[in-house]
Amino acid sequence: MAIDIHWLERVIERRKREAGEAEARLHPPAMVKEVLEFLRVRELKKGVFVDMTVGTGGHTLAILQANPKVEVIGIDRDATSLEVAAERLADYADRVTLIYGDMRDIRRLLHQIGVERVDGCLIDPGPSLWQMDSKRGFSFLDDSPLDMRMDRSSQVTAQTLLQTLSASELEQLFVQAGERRSDARRIAQAIVKERSRSGGIPTAKALAELVIQAKGVRGGRIHPATKVFLALRMAVNEEIDALREGIFEGAKVLKRGGRLVVLTYQSLEDKTVKEAFAKLAQPADKEKDRPLLRILTKDPIRPSFQERHQNPRARSCKLRAAERIR
Ligand SMILES: C[S@@+](CC[C@H](N)C(=O)[O-])C[C@H]1O[C@@H](n2cnc3c(N)ncnc32)[C@H](O)[C@@H]1O
């Protein structure tokens, strides 16, 4: 398996031309040691892993370096992240295949390259640090429009939602992400008022400021607009549905004994993984369905003290893993 080398050359040339622009930071992969252990990367004589959310390639690089006999197929729905990953993984081009697509389509994407079953799958969802830096309105200080799409070919942006949802729909969205109902209502009303006054909220920074004013708080350990940004990002990218379906589809492409490892960064995601694993390990109708997975982590595994200290972004990370049993 190999990356299209001509594509890679074009990418490298283009990135050289772009040098001089501020470089976005590469995403530091979380819980690498634990991911490699649960996937049993070093134990395999040969094997194929799928990094279903390859991003800028941090975990994939670690897998390739840990065992020279294994191959990785990396999927991402962000074409530009894939370009960065291709460049970063160029030394391993003979053992990497990068595919643009949605992890929910893993079966079709693998089938297209002649692969049916694999030894392990990794899901590490949510935006990467690289995407946060990519001026798409993910971050509170961003002076760029509220886009928030991971896949820039999709139709709906955060701006679309802010312009088209009613106050009660916006309120509901914010509540689902954990915002207090009274705050959610105030924020939703402020958004609707602002869009009829000025036509809309132009940038991420302007939205963050509007939330601060609606809530009447400033400062604190967590930014007051955290849950509003989370709500919009999750809705734009259908993150929870994609995660749930990704788990079900990923489980289907595993060989018997193959492993699925999922990292999450917030409670809604972790709940989704826990429920999806439970369904696959203990089907409701035992007469009709036999368990497909055995859960390996009764409780989620957390990053070591040292990792939490060194990589603040990994602090909220939780790892769950399961093994295919038939
Ligand atoms: C946290 S980053 C992954 C970082 C990567 N593990 C690393 O170490 O560099 C998550 C990536 O998942 C991608 N992603 C999120 N949802 C996806 C989906 N449904 N299908 C494919 N990729 C997805 C995002 O575009 C992003 O690049």
Side-chain angles (χ1 to χ4, degrees):
M1 278 187 265
I3 304 174
D4 172 352
I5 201 70
H6 300 297
W7 174 57
L8 183 59
E9 279 165 3
R10 284 199 302 276
V11 169
I12 294 173
E13 266 171 34
R14 184 164 65 76
R15 294 191 70 75
K16 277 189 192 150
R17 279 200 304 279
E18 285 172 358
E21 283 181 10
E23 278 294 306
R25 292 166 290 175
L26 288 178
H27 182 87
M31 301 189 73
V32 172
K33 181 174 159 285
E34 294 83 353
V35 166
L36 296 179
E37 279 170 10
F38 274 104
L39 288 175
R40 290 192 292 212
V41 172
R42 290 196 179 87
E43 292 169 37
L44 290 186
K45 294 246 160 43
K46 68 182 195 116
V48 179
F49 293 96
V50 185
D51 187 341
M52 295 171 64
T53 51
V54 65
T56 47
H59 284 109
T60 287
L61 183 62
I63 294 172
L64 293 164
Q65 286 175 338
N67 185 343
K69 297 278 186 323
V70 302
E71 297 177 16
V72 181
I73 299 165
I75 299 174
D76 207 289
R77 59 175 161 179
D78 182 344
T80 359
S81 290
L82 281 176
E83 292 182 357
V84 178
E87 195 177 337
R88 190 178 185 194
L89 302 168
D91 287 349
Y92 302 88
D94 56 338
R95 292 196 284 132
V96 189
T97 305
L98 295 175
I99 307 177
Y100 166 66
D102 194 304
M103 65 170 153
R104 288 175 275 194
D105 298 327
I106 182 170
R107 276 192 294 167
R108 183 178 59 77
L109 297 172
L110 294 191
H111 184 74
Q112 277 173 358
I113 55 166
V115 175
E116 301 299 331
R117 292 296 179 94
V118 297
D119 298 277
C121 290
L122 170 66
I123 301 180
D124 177 21
S128 64
L129 185 57
W130 188 86
Q131 286 170 322
M132 299 291 283
D133 284 352
S134 66
K135 307 244 176 293
R136 301 184 203 179
F138 281 119
S139 139
F140 312 122
L141 295 176
D142 229 344
D143 237 338
S144 31
L146 282 150
D147 184 314
M148 295 197 185
R149 286 171 303 169
M150 290 175 180
D151 179 353
R152 298 187 105 167
S153 73
S154 69
Q155 298 297 312
V156 177
T157 67
Q159 189 64 263
T160 321
L161 298 180
L162 289 179
Q163 289 296 96
T164 55
L165 296 187
S166 67
S168 66
E169 286 168 333
L170 286 168
E171 178 185 328
Q172 196 51 34
L173 203 65
F174 303 151
V175 169
Q176 274 164 12
E179 192 65 82
R180 278 201 350 228
R181 187 164 287 280
S182 53
D183 283 338
R185 181 164 304 156
R186 265 202 296 276
I187 299 161
Q189 285 167 352
I191 291 169
V192 171
K193 196 166 155 200
E194 184 59 25
R195 78 185 181 208
S196 55
R197 192 188 68 82
S198 67
I201 299 149
T203 62
K205 198 171 172 183
L207 176 65
E209 192 53 41
L210 179 141
V211 173
I212 287 171
Q213 298 208 343
K215 285 174 100 167
V217 284
R218 196 175 282 277
R221 201 170 60 82
I222 295 171
H223 193 289
T226 299
K227 291 190 173 134
V228 167
F229 272 61
L230 178 66
L232 290 168
R233 198 199 84 200
M234 286 198 308
V236 165
N237 298 293
E238 300 174 337
E239 287 181 30
I240 296 301
D241 284 349
L243 177 58
R244 184 184 307 106
E245 277 181 53
I247 291 171
F248 283 105
E249 293 302 302
K252 286 180 193 157
V253 301
L254 290 176
K255 292 175 186 165
R256 181 139 62 102
R259 293 197 165 177
L260 175 59
V261 174
V262 188
L263 302 178
T264 60
Y265 299 87
Q266 37 106 350
S267 54
L268 254 180
E269 284 177 344
D270 182 54
K271 182 166 169 273
T272 305
V273 182
K274 191 177 168 190
E275 288 173 1
F277 273 17
K279 272 204 178 124
L280 288 160
Q282 300 133 19
D285 187 346
K286 291 205 179 83
E287 301 285 299
K288 268 177 40 200
D289 289 332
R290 285 184 299 138
L292 187 66
L293 297 183
R294 173 171 72 92
I295 295 171
L296 302 170
T297 47
K298 187 165 163 288
D299 296 311
I301 312 290
R302 307 297 308 265
S304 65
F305 173 78
Q306 195 191 7
E307 177 167 6
R308 275 181 277 160
H309 189 67
Q310 283 170 351
N311 177 9
R313 303 183 65 80
R315 269 181 210 156
S316 59
C317 189
K318 290 182 178 169
L319 180 154
R320 290 186 187 267
E323 182 174 302
R324 180 154 173 169
I325 52 175
R326 65 173 167 84

